[in-house]
Amino acid sequence: MNKVTIFGDSILRGVLLNPGDKKYYFSKNIDWTYIENALDVKIENRSKMGCDIIKGKKFIENYIQEGNRPDFVLVEYGGNDSDYDWKKVANAPSRDYKPNTSLETFERTLSEIINILRDAQIQPVLMSLPPVIPNRYFEWITRNGLNKDNLLYFLGDVGVIYRRQEMYSNMIIKVAAAKNVPLVDVREVFLKVQDYPYYMCEDGVHPNSAGHKLISDCFIEYFKDGSL
């Protein structure tokens, strides 16, 4: 039985938004036990809420230095990397702000992670990002009083939020192809459904229970040939 370790952010940690009190909580809506049984693997989930690729690289390096050698490591980052410090933007929107992690740094670090895993004789697997719903996310980040007009001045239009995050998801796909790494294209699955916003939480970023079922089914479909 192969061992799979997951390093990611709140998406694969299974974080959901409670529609009542508007607070996040950890759930088990990605049914890893179901996936384990379907694919005959053992899964260890080391995803952390708020994690970006820079922190993720350090976690992976420490994990390997501790002597851990799973057969596969699934890497899922990009959402936090493509985001901004919205409070700073709202306070001074005319400045030239950059995402939390530049696209160039994201690409380089993802490639370095792949090399680190391969050097340790571990097979890396990448995952694309579920699409955000920009108008929902805009309302979410401004819910506590951030100046909407200032944010719109910086963005130009809320659709930039979608396009920026898409650039990071596309970079994951690009790196996977360039380095011949298996890619679970979760984004494609979300975009193929009739109404993908139905599968997302109110914040426009995190998949809801139905969305996590899409992710689970995507993994099982991708690896049903026994490659995991």
Side-chain angles (χ1 to χ4, degrees), residues 110-204:
L110 185 57
S111 295
E112 290 170 351
I113 288 173
I114 291 169
N115 294 338
I116 290 167
L117 293 171
R118 283 177 166 167
D119 288 345
Q121 305 301 309
I122 301 168
Q123 173 63 57
V125 179
L126 303 184
M127 185 190 112
S128 61
L129 306 176
V132 300
I133 306 173
N135 58 317
R136 282 191 197 174
Y137 185 56
F138 184 78
E139 293 301 320
W140 178 253
I141 61 176
T142 58
R143 70 193 184 283
N144 292 324
L146 289 187
N147 190 300
K148 291 186 176 183
D149 290 337
N150 284 357
L151 290 182
L152 283 173
Y153 176 85
F154 170 75
L155 290 169
D157 68 271
V158 294
V160 169
I161 295 172
Y162 179 97
R163 297 192 294 273
R164 179 67 62 178
Q165 191 250 18
E166 184 178 48
M167 288 173 61
Y168 285 71
S169 187
N170 287 344
M171 182 56 73
I172 295 168
I173 296 171
K174 175 184 174 182
V175 171
K179 298 186 77 69
N180 194 28
V181 174
L183 171 79
V184 183
D185 197 352
V186 167
R187 193 181 194 88
E188 181 182 43
V189 172
F190 274 79
L191 293 177
K192 277 185 175 180
V193 297
Q194 182 73 16
D195 179 22
Y196 87 80
Y198 169 80
Y199 296 88
M200 302 293 291
C201 288
E202 183 182 341
D203 65 3

Side-chain angles (χ1 to χ4, degrees), residues 70-129:
D71 300 286
F72 298 85
V73 163
L74 171 64
V75 179
E76 178 267 318
Y77 296 113
N80 294 306
D81 299 278
S82 65
D83 208 12
Y84 290 84
D85 186 330
W86 295 111
K87 184 177 181 180
K88 287 184 178 179
V89 175
N91 289 336
S94 60
R95 294 180 180 176
D96 183 22
Y97 296 97
K98 304 297 183 184
N100 293 330
T101 307
S102 72
L103 191 61
E104 295 76 17
T105 300
F106 182 79
E107 177 184 17
R108 182 181 68 252
T109 308
L110 185 57
S111 295
E112 290 170 351
I113 288 173
I114 291 169
N115 294 338
I116 290 167
L117 293 171
R118 283 177 166 167
D119 288 345
Q121 305 301 309
I122 301 168
Q123 173 63 57
V125 179
L126 303 184
M127 185 190 112
S128 61
L129 306 176

